[in-house]
């Protein structure tokens, strides 16, 4: 089998609720970044260990922008596919 089809698993999950505003997340993404850091800590992983990210925001411009900024801060501009 191709290396593309290697078995993957979820090592940890962390949940956050950014309820500071009904339609906009914290623009700096501090709660999301804290949540990702917690999931990495629980999984005992470094950002470079992550093969893919399943992002699940609200799909609004404000959320997508904050989420994108946080993912770049945590994983770098060449981070895993989202």
């Amino acid at each position: 089998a191709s290396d593309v089809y290697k078995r993957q698993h979820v090592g940890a999950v962390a949940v956050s609720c950014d309820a500071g505003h009904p339609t906009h997340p914290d623009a700096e993404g501090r709660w999301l970044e804290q949540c990702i850091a917690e999931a990495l800590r629980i999984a005992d992983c470094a950002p470079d260990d992550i093969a893919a990210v399943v992002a699940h925001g609200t799909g609004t411009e404000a959320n997508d922008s904050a989420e994108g900024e946080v993912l770049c801060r945590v994983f770098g501009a060449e981070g895993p596919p989202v």
Side-chain angles (χ1 to χ4, degrees):
S2 169
D3 285 342
V4 173
Y5 297 105
K6 288 181 180 178
R7 180 185 282 197
Q8 302 296 318
H9 70 277
V10 175
V13 173
V15 177
S16 175
C17 180
D18 184 355
H21 187 277
T23 61
H24 288 72
D26 171 55
E28 295 176 17
R30 62 182 160 214
W31 305 115
L32 175 58
E33 190 166 0
Q34 182 179 2
C35 185
I36 293 170
E38 179 68 2
L40 290 170
R41 186 193 66 74
I42 291 168
D44 193 27
C45 289
D48 289 344
D49 296 330
I50 305 303
V53 173
V54 180
H56 184 68
T58 59
T60 63
E61 275 189 49
N63 186 84
D64 289 352
S65 176
E67 195 171 61
E69 291 292 325
V70 168
L71 292 174
C72 281
R73 282 198 308 263
V74 172
F75 297 106
E78 298 298 320
V82 178

